[in-house]
Amino acid sequence: MKGLYFQQSSTNGEITFVFQEKENLPITEDNFVKLQVKACALSQINTKLLAEMKMEKDFFPVGREVAGIVLDVGTKVSFLQPDDEVVGILPLDSEDPGLCEVIRVHEHYLVHKPEKVTWTEAAGAIRDGVRAYTALHYLSHLSPGKSVLIMDGASAFGTIAIQLAHHRGAKVISTAYSLEDKQCLERLRSSIARVIDVSNGKVDVAESCLEETGGLGVDIVLDAGVRLYSKDDEPAVKLQLLPHKHDIITLLGVGGHWITTEESLQLDPPDSHCLFLKGATVAFLNDEIWNLSNVQQGKYL
């Protein structure tokens, strides 16, 4: 039985992918289940995080979002039983790659797959679904009637966040980074109050949001990265479409929540003072934090 792994060169950082023959799985015991993989999603491999966690290996398993059928369960498994259809995200320290016929995984990393959701849909949506739910439910406490700005709404994360926010009764505003993105979001028009096309770089996001909310600002912002510096000092990749951090602070309403994916966010004293006056909060969306074991969280925190 083969599994897919990646190997990173210690000299130039180049990544190569290799198939390796796996030994037979150990006897399923305790809280572990044996899972026959039906679908596996390929997400970006965060080599920087692996280095920070001191988790470098000669070969690291590939594929962590999986959907499949439970073949066998350990004696302490309480939520699952053989033949259950499940979906989940393998932890960072998983020894098994998702791109393998059969894997061994702890039951707490799996949930039951809805009957009408296909294997591919389940594996493809689980990561961004967890991210969007974490941002809206745990970090910003979304409730009916709130206004939400979702940056890059045509992305996988954005489309799920839009649907969740609409389902909760929120007023959704979203940005589009291209004509194709705008057309995609227009098809979700019943879920979106306004689509802001920023593809030409001429539209002021803060002004558009203030106009849409009658000058009150939005209650929740989910960014897709922000510019931290002036155009002269910012890397070219960030110059075109991302809003400046000052724009986010400006369009945020009183008591608002800014959920950011910018891991190196820097706020100057005037920025902090403005957030203080608004009674606003900033939260970081680290989608991996829920996938760390207790031992890993101790190292990470």
Side-chain angles (χ1 to χ4, degrees), residues 1 25-29 32-38 67-74 77 80-86 100-105 110 119:
M1 184 170 57
L25 293 178
I27 297 175
T28 307
E29 57 185 12
F32 284 85
V33 305
K34 183 184 292 184
L35 181 69
Q36 180 185 13
V37 178
K38 290 292 188 179
I69 299 176
V70 175
L71 299 178
D72 191 17
V73 299
V77 172
L80 304 172
Q81 57 187 4
D83 297 327
D84 279 353
E85 298 184 351
V86 297
C100 189
E101 293 181 7
V102 179
I103 60 176
R104 179 174 174 268
V105 57
L110 301 171
W119 298 116

Side-chain angles (χ1 to χ4, degrees), residues 19-156:
F19 280 102
Q20 283 194 334
E21 195 71 33
K22 287 187 56 192
E23 299 178 0
N24 292 330
L25 293 178
I27 297 175
T28 307
E29 57 185 12
D30 296 338
N31 294 95
F32 284 85
V33 305
K34 183 184 292 184
L35 181 69
Q36 180 185 13
V37 178
K38 290 292 188 179
C40 176
L42 289 178
S43 55
Q44 183 177 2
I45 299 171
N46 192 337
T47 54
K48 180 182 177 182
L49 178 61
L50 295 176
E52 291 177 352
M53 297 286 297
K54 295 181 173 53
M55 294 180 60
E56 296 101 331
K57 305 177 183 178
D58 291 336
F59 296 94
F60 199 88
V62 174
R64 293 174 49 213
E65 300 84 40
V66 297
I69 299 176
V70 175
L71 299 178
D72 191 17
V73 299
T75 56
K76 295 183 180 179
V77 172
S78 56
F79 300 114
L80 304 172
Q81 57 187 4
D83 297 327
D84 279 353
E85 298 184 351
V86 297
V87 59
I89 304 176
L90 303 182
L92 278 173
D93 59 354
S94 173
E95 297 292 333
D96 295 328
L99 284 171
C100 189
E101 293 181 7
V102 179
I103 60 176
R104 179 174 174 268
V105 57
H106 196 287
E107 66 168 328
H108 292 165
Y109 293 109
L110 301 171
V111 295
H112 288 95
K113 180 184 74 67
E115 183 179 351
K116 295 183 179 181
V117 177
T118 67
W119 298 116
T120 304
E121 290 169 343
I126 184 68
R127 173 176 290 274
D128 286 309
V130 170
R131 292 181 70 217
Y133 188 81
T134 299
L136 294 173
H137 180 75
Y138 291 108
L139 299 181
S140 58
H141 310 291
L142 178 66
S143 59
K146 296 289 186 179
S147 56
V148 184
L149 170 63
I150 299 174
M151 310 297 292
D152 192 14
S155 65

Side-chain angles (χ1 to χ4, degrees), residues 9-22:
S9 171
S10 58
T11 55
N12 56 13
E14 181 181 352
I15 290 179
T16 56
F17 293 88
V18 296
F19 280 102
Q20 283 194 334
E21 195 71 33
K22 287 187 56 192

Side-chain angles (χ1 to χ4, degrees), residues 139-141 219 252-253 255-259 275-276 278-283:
L139 299 181
S140 58
H141 310 291
D219 299 304
L252 199 61
H257 301 281
W258 175 10
I259 314 303
L275 291 169
F276 169 77
K278 291 186 175 186
T281 62
V282 179

Side-chain angles (χ1 to χ4, degrees), residues 238-298:
K238 285 193 172 185
L239 287 180
Q240 305 237 336
L241 304 176
L242 296 181
H244 195 278
K245 61 181 178 180
H246 294 153
D247 296 330
I248 301 293
I249 295 173
T250 299
L251 62 85
L252 199 61
V254 173
H257 301 281
W258 175 10
I259 314 303
T260 183
T261 58
E262 184 61 57
E263 63 180 49
S264 300
L265 180 66
Q266 299 178 31
L267 296 177
D268 301 321
D271 300 330
S272 298
H273 184 64
C274 185
L275 291 169
F276 169 77
L277 292 177
K278 291 186 175 186
T281 62
V282 179
F284 292 88
L285 180 59
N286 175 8
D287 55 309
E288 291 291 359
I289 198 67
W290 305 113
N291 301 320
L292 304 180
S293 67
N294 291 333
V295 174
Q296 289 176 311
Q297 290 193 30

